[in-house]
Amino acid sequence: MAGGGEGIREIQQPGEYQYTFGPYAEPIARVRRGETVVVHTVDAFGDKLTSEDQAPTSVLGPYLNPQTGPIYVEGAEPGDTLVVTIEAIEPARDWAVSCLVPYFGGLTSTRFTATLQPPLEERVWVYQRTPSGGFAWRDQWEIPWAPFFGTIGTAPHIEAIASLAPGAHGGNMDVPDVTVGNTLYFPVHHPGALFYTGDAHAAQGQGELCGVALEIAARGTFTFDIIKGRAIEWPRIESPDAIMTVGSARPMEDAARIAYSELVLWLEKDYGFDRLDAYQLLSQAGGLYVGNMVDPNYSLVAKCPKRYLEGRQRPTPGEPPTPPEVAV
Amino acid sequence: MAGGGEGIREIQQPGEYQYTFGPYAEPIARVRRGETVVVHTVDAFGDKLTSEDQAPTSVLGPYLNPQTGPIYVEGAEPGDTLVVTIEAIEPARDWAVSCLVPYFGGLTSTRFTATLQPPLEERVWVYQRTPSGGFAWRDQWEIPWAPFFGTIGTAPHIEAIASLAPGAHGGNMDVPDVTVGNTLYFPVHHPGALFYTGDAHAAQGQGELCGVALEIAARGTFTFDIIKGRAIEWPRIESPDAIMTVGSARPMEDAARIAYSELVLWLEKDYGFDRLDAYQLLSQAGGLYVGNMVDPNYSLVAKCPKRYLEGRQRPTPGEPPTPPEVAV
Amino acid sequence: MAGGGEGIREIQQPGEYQYTFGPYAEPIARVRRGETVVVHTVDAFGDKLTSEDQAPTSVLGPYLNPQTGPIYVEGAEPGDTLVVTIEAIEPARDWAVSCLVPYFGGLTSTRFTATLQPPLEERVWVYQRTPSGGFAWRDQWEIPWAPFFGTIGTAPHIEAIASLAPGAHGGNMDVPDVTVGNTLYFPVHHPGALFYTGDAHAAQGQGELCGVALEIAARGTFTFDIIKGRAIEWPRIESPDAIMTVGSARPMEDAARIAYSELVLWLEKDYGFDRLDAYQLLSQAGGLYVGNMVDPNYSLVAKCPKRYLEGRQRPTPGEPPTPPEVAV
Amino acid sequence: MAGGGEGIREIQQPGEYQYTFGPYAEPIARVRRGETVVVHTVDAFGDKLTSEDQAPTSVLGPYLNPQTGPIYVEGAEPGDTLVVTIEAIEPARDWAVSCLVPYFGGLTSTRFTATLQPPLEERVWVYQRTPSGGFAWRDQWEIPWAPFFGTIGTAPHIEAIASLAPGAHGGNMDVPDVTVGNTLYFPVHHPGALFYTGDAHAAQGQGELCGVALEIAARGTFTFDIIKGRAIEWPRIESPDAIMTVGSARPMEDAARIAYSELVLWLEKDYGFDRLDAYQLLSQAGGLYVGNMVDPNYSLVAKCPKRYLEGRQRPTPGEPPTPPEVAV
């Protein structure tokens, strides 16, 4: 389904963009269960970084990753799972931008991995869209169009979490599988779920190495649904070929442990595997890649090909809820 | 100075306790610069865990570490440093409690360090106050009274951070040096600073190994001051004998890097050391211990004995501010 | 080229297998530059785990991952790079085995990530080879044949490193790209390089989740070459489509930093990229997956598609050496 | 007891110093159970760094931390515990040296925590011994004499581990409690235990922040004993006031988990505590400090004051051995 088609509602941020995922802001729109809408997003820098002559630190404000939202999904209640299918992602402009920000990125010391060394130099790369739809940096290289939303998710319980950080709520996961044709699942902690998205990327390598992808303003077409009475702890993704879980934590092995343990439990609960057999199957057939190695939490994606799930029980919306866990 | 003396104002939480450090709650009290007040706190479990026959998970609600606050400190503005001296800590009862909570603690898998193993059993230890002021568990052992506030700090920029997590704002650092006779320094991001505290401990080992100290309701006597126009990035502590910085992060080495790099920069800025000489001095004379190894971030304390600072320049309240850094 | 063909020398371990990568053992064979040989390897358990009725701890000895080697490559000198192309991998039997070993694996506490919880149960899965060449566990699932050597590399400087640990020398990387059609590059620290390999896997998921892949005895066909006078710090892999670097360390983010920084430096040195442009390119086009999350060091693979390298300078064997670095 | 007194044997390295802890070198001396000897050690730089005008990288060879050893302790067999009491440490010269080595230290990127930033500058600090016995750097500061051996331990099973790395065998722990009046316990994996020591420090802060302490040549007076038939997994230390365990691993939280879990098990086995009660006691009374945050593994020390052990069962040399664990 193409985004922005006739009759599809378009949602734009009416006032200030949001810089946290939380329960403290008023919804900007309400969508119905099953409804498809187009959501407009600005880029991670609020569209302010436009030229290779700019120094990022002199242009950017104190916060990054402005979010469109929160969007209230009617019928979602705490303990449900929000289901979001990405129907389309369209670029809102013909260029994308990346840059080096001091003390931010995967191959520099940072505010957390603090050293006494000076930062790497600031630098900006502006890419131009090509006739084939890719994005080229000068005559040096061209990156194919492989769009996704770096930031997406729901409001946490009681926290307001900066839109630079990923977590159990989703947030700034920077996971390329958050893309067209895939379906996402998020925990619901508040009536209406309170959905946010932003930080569209024209493309990004695994790890988002320098901390900045091909940042672009975009329009995303999303369809919303709800699994009533079923809670999940961490975000999940379903593609035509695989089911996936995303763990976000530090150190990186904890993100891996979260992602894979959630996937084991998913195989057990929805596909009828014995728990240790699921552990075994993923040992031989699982995928595990790095979404980001640069954000306040690292995000890792664990993956199980669907061909191992054929003929097994599928999840049924409306099942009785799992017992709530103590939040500690 | 004794807490609760005549003429000292007593501050109690008027309604619901707070479970986040953030800018979204209304202040419960206002204090003047230089004022001394007594703040009443309930224990980390909201005083609900009282017997060794209870199972923590059947008694506790979804959130832990209820905070008294926010308290508005008049005159504090963004870019200042809040100064809090702990004059006294008094127990509000004659018993303290510790326990094991499933999948929480230093020697168990957790929600983040996820494994497929079953949790350790739940168990509660209730300690009784002894005539000497210590706390004894049955006839087995007695822990001397060494009280401090596990949770203390100011509101972050835009985030609301759960009171179980420590960070640059302070929060649940679980650092035993947050105690009587010491002075604490916190960043100010909002008018009034928005100060919170709670989670008093009758005592705690370094690391807070099982995740739960000797939890107690308490009254703390605090004096508030402000260093105008000087910003700090992370909490600092000053005792009669040492200056200290607290870093909170994961993995633990990042907490150590933060704590020690902040201490190097403190020695450079306020005591006139060459930066690499400060690095050298701390290599031979610094202290580094673990406050907690159990919370969403680990907290490490780096320490420089004051005898290495004698005769060197002291910080002067009112100096021009340091340049603000980009928040990323 | 098929392994074991006429005229190709077959190398079998003449006596005890090796359980370390080091300079302290006598070479079992010598190969010439350009020579192709077949190397026989036993499985990670020395072929002793054969039935689902066995408890691994009652069958296995104190060491795992027996290695065939060391093999002396004539002409290799310290400061060179050893080049190993994998021509073929053939199974030496029609079954493969996996299992759970107490306190070993990605979703259990371990000897290093120590907790007080009891271990997961021991369990063995024996897979049978199917007519299609895959390996099936009962009638439950079948894993396609995707063979590689879990353990491969050269002798370190002065250390003897257990064959369970990966590092700068290669070792137990458990990286599926160590497979047929790919070429590997290893540092040379001793005359003859002292090459070892073993731990063949019929297949393995990314991360080697439970710590044990589809373990199998195998014959590998290898061709050896040398790049004279050029030193590398960490292992590299070249496939028809990509160049790759492997970093092995803890925590996992350090493995990622090593892999990607080595890849940046490779792009700079051999393909003429400006260093920060290489950093940028990999931010948008790099791949980063987890080889293992279970060994004493974790191994991550960073990848650059070759289409970004077309028309750029290729490395030339025989160039002057890079300056040696101080080993600290 | 003074070192070097009449009748005490003096052990000096007869030829090349050792740069690994391993089973591959010939013993340089044999000592009897109960014997006291003096061991001479050179400093971490082989006594080659002597002036502030030197650049460390132009003076130092490829390896650091030369060890005196291995020393064969008669009667020690695999499965025993080696007991080493430090009777005295005397400086062998009147100066000590520290320095910055590129890409080595706690507040710089390193070979493992790799970044693209340039290294910090090299710098050397030479300290002179003062009449009070301390070590002064120019007229800037004086560090009290607080000597210990940075590197000490026994040969591992089959590995030869660089003398820069700490581990279960001891090695480069850089723990200030390895000092006069304390007793150390190490695992024995080979007949004679094969004891090594070196890397004396005139003093060192917790964490060994820049990676280099006050390095000095020294004479240590050691008394050797054996606990027959009892195996330990990790090094232990006993002072007049406390028992301690040392964990060495990455990330740092794993070192903390090892140290504290070993201490829990020690309290259970030798002092009769219920395991979870020991966990509780250490939560309220344990100490946890950082020995080093700079070596290939970080070393953390967990501590239990002896006053909590009074009246409880003491360990008895000669007890039956604990069941061996599978080495994985």
Side-chain angles (χ1 to χ4, degrees):
Chain A
M1 175 187 295
E6 192 180 355
I8 295 183
R9 187 150 52 112
E10 308 230 349
I11 296 174
Q12 303 193 42
Q13 194 71 1
E16 295 293 308
Y17 286 88
Q18 296 293 325
Y19 291 92
T20 59
F21 283 67
Y24 302 105
E26 286 300 308
I28 63 162
R30 297 173 75 94
V31 299
R32 295 182 311 280
R33 194 172 168 176
E35 185 176 0
T36 299
V37 299
V38 171
V39 178
H40 292 241
T41 62
V42 290
D43 79 12
F45 305 120
D47 296 345
K48 283 183 283 192
L49 191 65
T50 61
S51 158
E52 297 191 352
D53 297 331
Q54 291 172 309
T57 50
S58 66
V59 173
L60 305 177
Y63 311 122
L64 299 180
N65 274 358
Q67 298 298 301
T68 301
I71 294 172
Y72 188 105
V73 182
E74 294 181 356
E77 296 293 333
D80 296 343
T81 293
L82 181 68
V83 184
V84 183
T85 300
I86 303 180
E87 313 284 359
I89 303 175
E90 296 167 295
R93 67 189 188 207
D94 61 1
W95 57 275
V97 65
S98 186
C99 68
L100 295 186
V101 176
Y103 293 127
F104 188 72
L107 297 181
T108 173
S109 58
T110 68
R111 188 185 169 217
F112 297 109
T113 305
T115 77
L116 300 178
Q117 293 159 291
L120 297 174
E121 65 175 83
E122 297 191 65
R123 193 183 289 189
V124 179
W125 292 262
V126 176
Y127 289 68
Q128 299 297 330
R129 200 170 171 202
T130 68
S132 69
F135 283 78
W137 183 62
R138 301 181 181 172
D139 62 350
Q140 294 293 298
W141 62 72
E142 177 175 339
I143 309 290
W145 170 243
F148 70 97
F149 286 96
T151 311
I152 192 165
T154 52
H157 275 286
I158 55 176
E159 292 192 300
I161 296 176
S163 53
L164 267 170
H169 66 294
N172 192 27
M173 300 182 288
D174 289 317
V175 160
D177 273 299
V178 178
T179 192
V180 179
N182 290 355
T183 296
L184 305 158
Y185 302 87
F186 296 105
V188 177
H189 298 298
H190 298 275
L194 306 177
F195 173 83
Y196 299 77
T197 193
D199 188 29
H201 295 163
Q204 180 204 289
Q206 291 175 338
E208 200 186 18
L209 184 58
C210 79
V212 184
L214 291 190
E215 309 295 337
I216 194 164
R219 292 182 298 274
T221 306
F222 301 94
T223 301
F224 293 91
D225 201 351
I226 302 162
I227 302 176
K228 293 298 296 179
R230 281 180 60 105
I232 58 174
E233 291 288 310
W234 291 86
R236 297 177 176 183
I237 304 174
E238 189 170 346
S239 75
D241 299 327
I243 63 172
M244 294 170 251
T245 47
V246 186
S248 296
R250 288 192 179 203
M252 196 182 278
E253 52 263 42
D254 272 3
R257 288 168 177 139
I258 291 166
Y260 257 140
S261 64
E262 286 291 307
L263 195 49
V264 166
L265 298 177
W266 192 359
L267 290 179
E268 178 186 51
K269 181 164 185 181
D270 285 352
Y271 298 95
F273 283 89
D274 169 86
R275 186 174 296 186
L276 295 185
D277 284 345
Y279 188 31
Q280 168 61 209
L281 173 61
L282 294 173
S283 300
Q284 315 312 340
L288 183 62
Y289 75 84
V290 180
N292 91 75
M293 58 181 277
V294 296
D295 295 320
N297 289 313
Y298 307 124
S299 296
L300 265 71
V301 180
K303 188 178 296 204
C304 181
K306 280 188 173 173
R307 63 189 166 86
Y308 294 103
L309 310 178
E310 286 166 13
R312 293 181 178 267
Q313 177 193 349
R314 282 307 320 272
T316 308
E319 282 189 9
T322 53
E325 301 196 5
V326 172
V328 284
Chain B
M1 175 187 294
E6 193 179 354
I8 295 182
R9 187 149 51 112
E10 309 232 349
I11 296 174
Q12 303 194 42
Q13 193 73 359
E16 295 293 307
Y17 286 88
Q18 296 293 325
Y19 291 93
T20 60
F21 283 68
Y24 301 104
E26 286 301 306
I28 61 161
R30 298 172 75 94
V31 298
R32 296 182 310 280
R33 193 172 170 178
E35 184 176 0
T36 299
V37 298
V38 171
V39 178
H40 293 241
T41 62
V42 290
D43 79 13
F45 304 121
D47 296 345
K48 283 184 282 192
L49 191 64
T50 61
S51 157
E52 297 192 351
D53 296 331
Q54 291 172 310
T57 51
S58 66
V59 173
L60 305 177
Y63 312 121
L64 298 180
N65 273 359
Q67 298 298 302
T68 301
I71 294 172
Y72 189 104
V73 182
E74 294 181 356
E77 295 293 331
D80 296 342
T81 293
L82 181 67
V83 183
V84 183
T85 300
I86 303 180
E87 313 284 358
I89 303 175
E90 295 167 297
R93 67 189 187 207
D94 61 1
W95 57 275
V97 65
S98 186
C99 67
L100 295 186
V101 176
Y103 293 127
F104 188 72
L107 296 181
T108 172
S109 58
T110 68
R111 189 183 168 217
F112 297 108
T113 306
T115 78
L116 300 178
Q117 293 159 291
L120 297 174
E121 63 175 85
E122 298 191 65
R123 193 183 287 189
V124 179
W125 291 262
V126 176
Y127 289 68
Q128 300 297 331
R129 200 172 172 201
T130 67
S132 70
F135 283 77
W137 181 62
R138 300 182 181 172
D139 62 350
Q140 294 293 299
W141 62 71
E142 177 176 338
I143 309 291
W145 170 244
F148 70 97
F149 286 96
T151 311
I152 192 165
T154 53
H157 277 285
I158 56 176
E159 292 192 299
I161 297 177
S163 53
L164 267 170
H169 66 294
N172 192 27
M173 300 182 288
D174 288 317
V175 161
D177 274 299
V178 178
T179 191
V180 179
N182 290 355
T183 296
L184 305 158
Y185 302 86
F186 296 105
V188 177
H189 298 299
H190 298 276
L194 305 177
F195 173 83
Y196 298 79
T197 194
D199 188 28
H201 294 164
Q204 181 204 288
Q206 291 175 338
E208 200 187 20
L209 184 59
C210 79
V212 184
L214 291 190
E215 308 294 337
I216 194 164
R219 293 181 298 272
T221 306
F222 300 94
T223 301
F224 293 90
D225 200 353
I226 303 162
I227 302 176
K228 293 299 296 179
R230 281 180 61 105
I232 57 174
E233 290 289 309
W234 290 87
R236 297 176 176 184
I237 305 174
E238 189 170 345
S239 75
D241 298 327
I243 64 172
M244 294 170 251
T245 48
V246 186
S248 296
R250 287 192 179 204
M252 197 183 279
E253 53 263 41
D254 272 3
R257 288 168 176 139
I258 291 167
Y260 257 139
S261 64
E262 286 291 307
L263 194 50
V264 165
L265 298 177
W266 192 359
L267 290 179
E268 177 185 53
K269 181 164 184 180
D270 286 352
Y271 298 94
F273 283 89
D274 170 86
R275 186 174 296 186
L276 295 185
D277 284 344
Y279 188 30
Q280 167 62 209
L281 172 61
L282 294 173
S283 300
Q284 315 314 339
L288 183 62
Y289 74 85
V290 179
N292 92 74
M293 58 180 278
V294 296
D295 295 321
N297 288 313
Y298 307 124
S299 296
L300 265 71
V301 180
K303 187 179 295 203
C304 181
K306 281 187 171 172
R307 63 189 167 86
Y308 294 103
L309 311 178
E310 285 166 14
R312 292 181 178 268
Q313 176 193 348
R314 282 306 323 270
T316 308
E319 283 188 11
T322 53
E325 301 197 6
V326 172
V328 287
Chain C
M1 174 185 295
E6 192 180 355
I8 295 183
R9 187 149 51 112
E10 309 232 348
I11 296 174
Q12 304 194 41
Q13 194 71 0
E16 295 293 307
Y17 286 88
Q18 296 293 326
Y19 290 93
T20 60
F21 283 67
Y24 301 105
E26 286 300 306
I28 62 161
R30 298 172 75 94
V31 298
R32 296 182 310 280
R33 195 170 169 178
E35 184 175 1
T36 299
V37 298
V38 172
V39 178
H40 292 242
T41 62
V42 290
D43 80 11
F45 305 120
D47 296 345
K48 284 184 280 190
L49 191 64
T50 61
S51 158
E52 298 192 350
D53 296 331
Q54 291 172 308
T57 50
S58 67
V59 174
L60 305 177
Y63 312 121
L64 299 179
N65 274 358
Q67 300 297 302
T68 301
I71 294 172
Y72 188 104
V73 182
E74 294 181 356
E77 295 293 332
D80 296 343
T81 293
L82 180 67
V83 184
V84 183
T85 300
I86 303 180
E87 313 284 358
I89 303 176
E90 296 167 295
R93 66 190 188 206
D94 62 1
W95 57 275
V97 64
S98 186
C99 68
L100 295 186
V101 175
Y103 294 127
F104 188 72
L107 296 181
T108 174
S109 58
T110 68
R111 189 185 167 215
F112 298 109
T113 306
T115 78
L116 300 178
Q117 294 160 290
L120 298 174
E121 63 174 85
E122 298 190 65
R123 194 182 289 187
V124 179
W125 291 261
V126 174
Y127 290 68
Q128 300 297 331
R129 200 170 172 204
T130 68
S132 69
F135 283 78
W137 182 62
R138 300 181 181 174
D139 62 350
Q140 293 293 298
W141 62 72
E142 177 176 339
I143 309 291
W145 170 244
F148 71 97
F149 286 95
T151 310
I152 192 166
T154 52
H157 276 287
I158 55 174
E159 292 192 299
I161 297 177
S163 53
L164 268 170
H169 66 293
N172 192 27
M173 300 183 288
D174 289 317
V175 160
D177 273 299
V178 179
T179 192
V180 179
N182 290 356
T183 296
L184 305 158
Y185 302 87
F186 296 104
V188 177
H189 298 300
H190 298 275
L194 304 178
F195 173 82
Y196 298 79
T197 193
D199 188 29
H201 295 164
Q204 181 204 288
Q206 291 174 338
E208 200 187 19
L209 183 59
C210 78
V212 184
L214 290 189
E215 308 296 337
I216 194 164
R219 292 182 297 273
T221 306
F222 301 94
T223 301
F224 293 90
D225 200 352
I226 303 162
I227 303 177
K228 292 298 296 178
R230 281 181 59 104
I232 58 175
E233 290 289 309
W234 289 87
R236 298 175 174 184
I237 304 174
E238 189 169 346
S239 76
D241 298 327
I243 63 171
M244 295 170 251
T245 47
V246 186
S248 296
R250 289 192 176 202
M252 197 183 278
E253 52 264 40
D254 272 3
R257 288 169 177 138
I258 290 166
Y260 257 140
S261 64
E262 286 291 308
L263 195 50
V264 165
L265 298 177
W266 191 1
L267 291 179
E268 178 186 50
K269 180 163 185 181
D270 285 352
Y271 297 95
F273 283 90
D274 170 87
R275 186 174 295 187
L276 295 185
D277 284 344
Y279 188 32
Q280 169 61 209
L281 174 60
L282 294 173
S283 300
Q284 315 312 339
L288 183 62
Y289 75 85
V290 179
N292 92 75
M293 57 181 278
V294 296
D295 295 321
N297 288 313
Y298 307 125
S299 295
L300 265 71
V301 180
K303 188 179 295 204
C304 181
K306 280 188 172 172
R307 64 189 167 84
Y308 294 104
L309 311 178
E310 286 166 13
R312 292 182 178 266
Q313 177 194 346
R314 281 309 319 272
T316 307
E319 281 190 10
T322 52
E325 301 197 4
V326 171
V328 287
Chain D
M1 175 186 295
E6 192 180 353
I8 296 183
R9 188 150 50 113
E10 309 231 347
I11 296 174
Q12 303 194 42
Q13 193 72 1
E16 294 294 306
Y17 286 88
Q18 296 293 324
Y19 291 92
T20 59
F21 283 67
Y24 301 106
E26 286 299 308
I28 62 160
R30 299 173 76 94
V31 299
R32 297 181 310 279
R33 195 171 168 178
E35 184 175 1
T36 299
V37 298
V38 171
V39 178
H40 292 242
T41 63
V42 289
D43 80 12
F45 305 119
D47 296 345
K48 284 185 280 191
L49 192 64
T50 61
S51 157
E52 297 192 350
D53 296 332
Q54 291 172 309
T57 51
S58 67
V59 173
L60 304 178
Y63 312 122
L64 299 179
N65 273 358
Q67 299 297 302
T68 301
I71 294 173
Y72 189 103
V73 182
E74 294 181 357
E77 294 294 330
D80 297 342
T81 293
L82 181 68
V83 184
V84 183
T85 299
I86 304 180
E87 313 284 358
I89 303 176
E90 296 168 294
R93 66 191 188 204
D94 61 0
W95 56 276
V97 65
S98 186
C99 69
L100 295 186
V101 176
Y103 293 128
F104 188 72
L107 297 180
T108 174
S109 59
T110 68
R111 188 184 169 217
F112 297 108
T113 306
T115 78
L116 300 177
Q117 294 159 291
L120 297 174
E121 63 174 85
E122 297 191 65
R123 193 182 289 187
V124 179
W125 292 262
V126 175
Y127 290 68
Q128 300 297 330
R129 199 168 171 206
T130 67
S132 70
F135 283 78
W137 182 62
R138 298 181 182 174
D139 62 350
Q140 293 293 299
W141 62 71
E142 177 176 338
I143 309 290
W145 170 243
F148 70 97
F149 286 96
T151 311
I152 192 166
T154 52
H157 275 288
I158 54 176
E159 292 193 299
I161 297 177
S163 52
L164 267 170
H169 65 295
N172 192 26
M173 301 183 288
D174 289 318
V175 160
D177 274 299
V178 179
T179 192
V180 179
N182 290 356
T183 296
L184 305 159
Y185 302 87
F186 296 104
V188 177
H189 298 299
H190 297 276
L194 305 177
F195 173 83
Y196 298 79
T197 194
D199 189 28
H201 295 163
Q204 181 204 288
Q206 291 175 338
E208 200 187 20
L209 183 59
C210 78
V212 184
L214 291 190
E215 308 295 337
I216 194 164
R219 292 182 297 272
T221 306
F222 301 94
T223 301
F224 293 90
D225 200 353
I226 302 162
I227 302 177
K228 292 299 296 178
R230 282 180 60 105
I232 57 175
E233 291 289 308
W234 291 86
R236 298 177 174 182
I237 304 174
E238 189 170 346
S239 75
D241 298 326
I243 64 172
M244 295 171 249
T245 47
V246 186
S248 295
R250 290 192 176 204
M252 196 182 280
E253 52 264 41
D254 272 2
R257 289 169 177 138
I258 291 166
Y260 256 140
S261 64
E262 286 291 308
L263 195 50
V264 165
L265 297 178
W266 191 0
L267 290 179
E268 178 186 50
K269 181 164 184 181
D270 285 351
Y271 299 94
F273 283 90
D274 170 86
R275 187 174 295 187
L276 296 185
D277 284 344
Y279 188 30
Q280 168 62 209
L281 173 61
L282 294 174
S283 299
Q284 315 313 339
L288 183 62
Y289 75 85
V290 180
N292 91 74
M293 57 180 279
V294 296
D295 296 320
N297 288 313
Y298 307 125
S299 297
L300 265 71
V301 180
K303 189 179 294 204
C304 182
K306 280 188 173 173
R307 63 188 166 87
Y308 294 104
L309 309 179
E310 286 166 14
R312 293 182 179 266
Q313 177 193 349
R314 283 307 320 273
T316 308
E319 282 188 12
T322 52
E325 302 197 4
V326 173
V328 287

